Amino acid sequence: MSKRKQLICHYCKELFDRETLIQVTKTKRACSKCNDTIVREKNEYKELIDYLCKGLNIKAPSGFMLKSIEKVKALGYSYKDIQWTVYYMACIRKMFLKDGCVNLVPSFYQEMCEYRRIYINAMNNKVEECKETIVVKHTETRAPKIENTRLI
């Protein structure tokens, strides 16, 4: 009897039948679960780049910005986390953002999560008033350049 040839998924390192793996690149194959994750991350990355370019009014991100994104990603933040935090800094905190705004994500991420939790709680409980408040110190009073797109 001939055995079916099994190949390894390059991302989760598990064995799968050759027919079930999806060719991601010329040399790498992924299972359907890993492929879904890869596709989702690619889409989130494109959305983040588009959002930053639109918000900073630039055509393409600089090398410094791309390097900053990868540094923050290596710290464990997803691309969506980065995008939500930049939105929070620009539209809620009214900060004037520049090229290095992505480097500020670790500093403002917890504050953004707390704000988002309170916001969602308030939206879910419209009848009850949300008694929790967040004290925000404004350092600059310039209006943000990022359009008011709804991320929350």
Side-chain angles (χ1 to χ4, degrees), residues 5-145:
K5 186 165 183 174
Q6 289 192 329
L7 298 174
I8 193 167
C9 171
H10 283 83
Y11 301 95
C12 67
K13 307 297 184 200
E14 293 182 21
L15 287 173
F16 292 95
D17 290 336
R18 177 180 223 126
E19 294 83 29
T20 60
L21 291 176
I22 300 166
Q23 192 82 30
V24 178
T25 63
K26 282 186 177 182
T27 58
K28 292 185 178 180
R29 297 172 189 257
C31 61
S32 60
K33 182 179 160 187
C34 293
N35 186 54
D36 292 343
T37 305
I38 293 166
V39 170
R40 182 180 43 96
E41 280 194 358
K42 282 182 183 179
N43 290 337
E44 286 179 1
Y45 183 74
K46 287 177 185 177
E47 287 176 15
L48 173 62
I49 296 297
D50 291 342
Y51 184 74
L52 289 172
C53 288
K54 190 182 291 184
L56 297 172
N57 209 12
I58 54 176
K59 289 184 181 178
S62 64
F64 175 70
M65 187 182 295
L66 296 174
K67 190 175 180 181
S68 299
I69 290 171
E70 292 308 314
K71 246 191 228 179
V72 173
K73 176 76 171 145
L75 292 174
Y77 298 95
S78 70
Y79 295 122
K80 209 50 138 174
D81 291 341
I82 297 169
Q83 187 175 354
W84 281 335
T85 307
V86 170
Y87 170 81
Y88 172 78
M89 290 187 301
C91 296
I92 308 301
R93 292 282 308 263
K94 306 287 187 208
M95 295 173 65
F96 181 73
L97 301 180
K98 295 182 182 177
D99 233 9
C101 65
V102 177
N103 287 328
L104 298 173
V105 168
S107 303
F108 287 96
Y109 181 73
Q110 289 300 323
E111 190 177 318
M112 183 274 303
C113 288
E114 183 67 20
Y115 174 82
R116 190 163 184 263
R117 185 187 64 76
I118 292 170
Y119 179 80
I120 291 172
N121 186 28
M123 295 306 286
N124 289 339
N125 302 323
K126 287 186 179 181
V127 176
E128 297 177 20
E129 289 185 10
C130 185
K131 295 180 181 176
E132 297 179 51
T133 59
I134 295 178
V135 177
V136 179
K137 296 178 184 175
H138 293 283
T139 54
E140 292 189 51
T141 56
R142 292 191 222 167
K145 287 188 175 181

